[in-house]
Amino acid sequence: MDYKTFIKRDYVLVLLISVLYFLTVKNVVPVVAYLVIAVISSIYFFPVKLFLGDAFDNTSKKKHILAALSYFVTSNIITLTASVFFQEESGFVHTTLGIYALINLGFLFYFYWTEKSRYNVILCCCVLVLTSAKFAI
């Protein structure tokens, strides 16, 4: 897989994190391994992804800002799922994750109906899989 293909299909990384989250909850994978992988992928999705590829070359400022906010929400959701393992009472984290999940759902509807952006819709769906895994377990 070359660089451009990876950038176009990096939403699979969120699905892999969802599977890793499930395996961590079931005590198959150590929590520290999930924490390291989640933090690295979180850093990839927000600050690094903005500088990689040509995702924003042909877009307007409004689309650029909304996509960047979507990546920020994705990054925060991944980080919050990692921090759940280290909280005894995770009420605040659980509520914050729920709010981010609703914001992500809003981005999903926005990207589907107004932008017609296939990549962002798939990324939002993959992040919804991760948040639903968190709330189901």
Side-chain angles (χ1 to χ4, degrees):
M1 180 182 296
D2 64 336
Y3 173 74
K4 293 283 186 181
T5 307
F6 177 75
I7 295 296
K8 290 180 182 176
R9 295 196 178 118
D10 61 356
Y11 48 80
V12 175
L13 184 62
V14 179
L15 290 177
L16 293 174
I17 291 171
S18 301
V19 171
L20 190 63
Y21 178 79
F22 177 74
L23 292 174
T24 304
V25 168
K26 297 299 180 182
N27 293 325
V28 175
V29 175
V31 175
V32 175
Y34 179 76
L35 176 70
V36 169
I37 293 171
V39 167
I40 289 171
S41 62
S42 174
I43 291 170
Y44 167 74
F45 273 106
F46 182 61
V48 175
K49 183 144 177 78
L50 296 178
F51 301 114
L52 293 178
D54 52 2
F56 299 123
D57 287 346
N58 298 326
T59 60
S60 67
K61 293 282 186 190
K62 178 182 175 185
K63 293 177 186 178
H64 180 77
I65 290 171
L66 288 174
L69 285 174
S70 173
Y71 297 151
F72 178 73
V73 168
T74 300
S75 174
N76 283 337
I77 287 174
I78 293 170
T79 304
L80 286 173
T81 58
S83 68
V84 165
F85 293 111
F86 299 102
Q87 301 285 327
E88 292 199 14
E89 291 186 27
S90 59
F92 175 73
V93 174
H94 187 75
T95 304
T96 307
L97 194 58
I99 291 169
Y100 277 132
L102 290 175
I103 292 170
N104 185 48
L105 187 65
F107 279 129
L108 173 69
F109 292 144
Y110 174 77
F111 288 130
Y112 181 74
W113 277 307
T114 60
E115 297 292 327
K116 307 291 190 222
S117 174
R118 179 176 176 251
Y119 170 79
N120 288 330
V121 169
I122 294 173
L123 179 64
C124 288
C125 287
C126 293
V127 173
L128 281 177
V129 168
L130 179 62
T131 56
S132 64
K134 162 52 184 108
F135 288 119
I137 297 176

